[in-house]
Amino acid sequence: MRTGRTRIVATAVLAAVALTLGACAEDTGGGTDAGDTGNATGTIKEGLKVTFLPKQVNNPYFDTSDNKGGKPAVEEFKGQYAQTGPSEASPSAQVSYINTLSQQGSDVIIIAANDQDAVCGSLTEAKAAGAKVVTYDSDTKPECRDAFVNQATSEGIAQSQIKLISDAVGPEGGEIAILSATANATNQNAWIELMKTELAKPEYSKLKLVATVYGDDQDEKSFQEAQGLLSKYPNLKGIISPTTVGVAAAARYLSGSSYKGKVQLTGLGTPNQMREFVKDGTVKAFALWNPADLGYLAAYTGAALASGIITGKEGEKFTAGKLGEFTVGANGEILLGEPFVFNESNIDQFQF
């Protein structure tokens, strides 16, 4: 269900990483104690300790969302920013980091969950210790966090991915495959199921999904999985990789192979990763939202929770700096916007 305010997505993406540091009004009383309700002034407390816990560190997507989106937002409301996390995106890898953050008294933990179940126990303990928990990019069960900042609706992502691969492959259709991240990633699995639903529509009857493989958000493994798909399915016409690591690795493989131009590729990627592959004809189009805006919104969501401006209940409103006003939807979901399509005609307009 779409929530939040209506805005033109292209304009939001054009904002990209260029941030205007006009600080919000702060609570002059300072302190980092998280309020529960009743902040009538809508001001954010100063000094809030806000930590981002991505699926894995040193991932270009999360480097953008956290360091180029979350960090400037935290600096705007005069908080303390940090990023920590595992080097590999495994289901249980984030648990020890959550426990440490809880012990350190973090006010806000912002996490992209590798598994919706594996982190729930530790997040529940962190909440009991006083931290506000915001999920972004990939959710947990609703009871394990206070709010979820969703980059786009799962339906919108699935629809865009199937349309892009259909347009790229052409009216004759053919066999396609999906190169995903980890097998337990909540967001990936939701998108894949909805892609299957989308493929059942009459207009996509000539597309046949033959395989789903997992690169675990590792560059080399994703490269090898893409290579393996072409070896196993010689008649493959297209690959969808709804993960920034996977789509870039698959593009790198295709661009240097005899399959370039014959096997189509789309997915979710960043312009800086995919520019050369769009320009050399390996990829016709791909989609994403602005990851910097996602991290920025997640930071302001956490700050609003920790300051008592919102509690995560449906219908509550808050202002997220330069992005404007948002409304909390069902199950504490806050929607950034819709996917944006990048192609040769517009990719040079974006730098992230």
Side-chain angles (χ1 to χ4, degrees):
M1 184 175 101
R2 187 178 177 88
T3 58
R5 77 276 182 269
T6 303
R7 62 188 173 92
I8 300 174
V9 179
T11 302
V13 181
L14 279 166
V17 187
L19 300 170
T20 56
L21 299 179
C24 291
E26 289 86 16
D27 182 346
T28 55
T32 60
D33 294 334
D36 291 324
T37 58
N39 186 342
T41 62
T43 57
I44 293 175
K45 292 177 180 289
E46 288 187 14
L48 291 171
K49 292 186 287 186
V50 181
T51 302
F52 279 74
L53 179 51
K55 291 179 180 177
Q56 63 183 149
V57 294
N58 301 319
N59 177 315
Y61 172 85
F62 289 112
D63 285 344
T64 300
S65 65
D66 299 3
N67 297 322
K68 296 183 179 180
K71 183 179 180 181
V74 175
E75 289 173 347
E76 285 180 21
F77 55 73
K78 294 182 170 59
Q80 301 175 43
Y81 167 85
Q83 185 205 56
T84 189
S87 57
E88 293 188 4
S90 66
S92 60
Q94 295 170 312
V95 172
S96 63
Y97 292 92
I98 298 168
N99 294 338
T100 298
L101 293 175
S102 181
Q103 293 165 6
Q104 292 174 344
S106 291
D107 296 300
V108 180
I109 298 172
I110 300 175
I111 179 172
N114 281 319
D115 185 288
Q116 68 171 355
D117 297 313
V119 295
C120 267
S122 54
L123 287 178
T124 300
E125 292 177 3
K127 287 172 63 179
K132 296 300 182 182
V133 175
V134 176
T135 53
Y136 73 125
D137 183 74
S138 184
D139 199 12
T140 61
K141 293 179 178 178
E143 61 267 25
C144 305
R145 43 70 171 170
D146 296 292
F148 168 45
V149 177
N150 194 353
Q151 56 268 42
T153 63
S154 293
E155 292 81 3
I157 291 169
Q159 289 164 6
S160 73
Q161 295 292 279
I162 297 302
K163 185 177 188 308
L164 285 171
I165 199 64
S166 177
D167 289 347
V169 169
E172 296 302 314
E175 296 180 349
I176 63 171
I178 296 172
L179 170 58
S180 186
T182 63
N184 295 300
T186 313
N187 57 347
Q188 299 278 319
N189 290 337
W191 301 338
I192 290 168
E193 287 306 309
L194 287 166
M195 284 185 218
K196 292 176 181 177
T197 300
E198 196 70 10
L199 284 168
K201 293 181 178 180
E203 58 263 43
Y204 300 122
S205 61
K206 291 187 178 181
L207 292 176
K208 181 182 178 182
L209 179 63
V210 296
T212 299
V213 298
Y214 302 92
D216 292 343
D217 263 348
Q218 297 175 17
D219 177 78
E220 190 57 35
K221 185 174 181 182
S222 297
F223 184 94
Q224 292 169 355
E225 291 291 348
Q227 187 178 33
L229 282 172
L230 273 302
S231 175
K232 188 173 181 179
Y233 301 98
N235 295 320
L236 200 68
K237 296 298 183 182
I239 299 173
I240 300 171
S241 187
T243 160
T244 56
V245 175
V247 73
R252 195 172 78 253
Y253 170 69
L254 289 175
S255 69
S257 76
S258 61
Y259 298 105
K260 178 181 176 182
K262 299 176 183 178
V263 176
Q264 302 302 320
L265 173 68
T266 193
L268 300 176
T270 69
N272 288 352
Q273 283 180 304
M274 301 300 292
R275 196 181 322 276
E276 64 176 292
F277 304 118
V278 169
K279 292 194 171 187
D280 73 7
T282 302
V283 176
K284 293 179 180 178
F286 65 97
L288 197 66
W289 43 91
N290 183 351
D293 281 352
L294 181 67
Y296 186 96
L297 176 56
Y300 266 97
T301 301
L305 286 162
S307 302
I309 298 169
I310 59 173
T311 65
K313 292 181 180 178
E314 185 174 2
E316 294 177 331
K317 298 179 185 294
F318 69 102
T319 300
K322 67 185 179 71
L323 294 181
E325 186 178 83
F326 287 80
T327 302
V328 180
N331 295 317
E333 182 178 326
I334 298 155
L335 181 64
L336 176 62
E338 296 295 334
F340 181 83
V341 175
F342 300 90
N343 54 38
E344 190 175 15
S345 71
N346 65 21
I347 197 166
D348 281 339
Q349 299 174 32
F350 308 99
Q351 293 293 331
F352 66 88

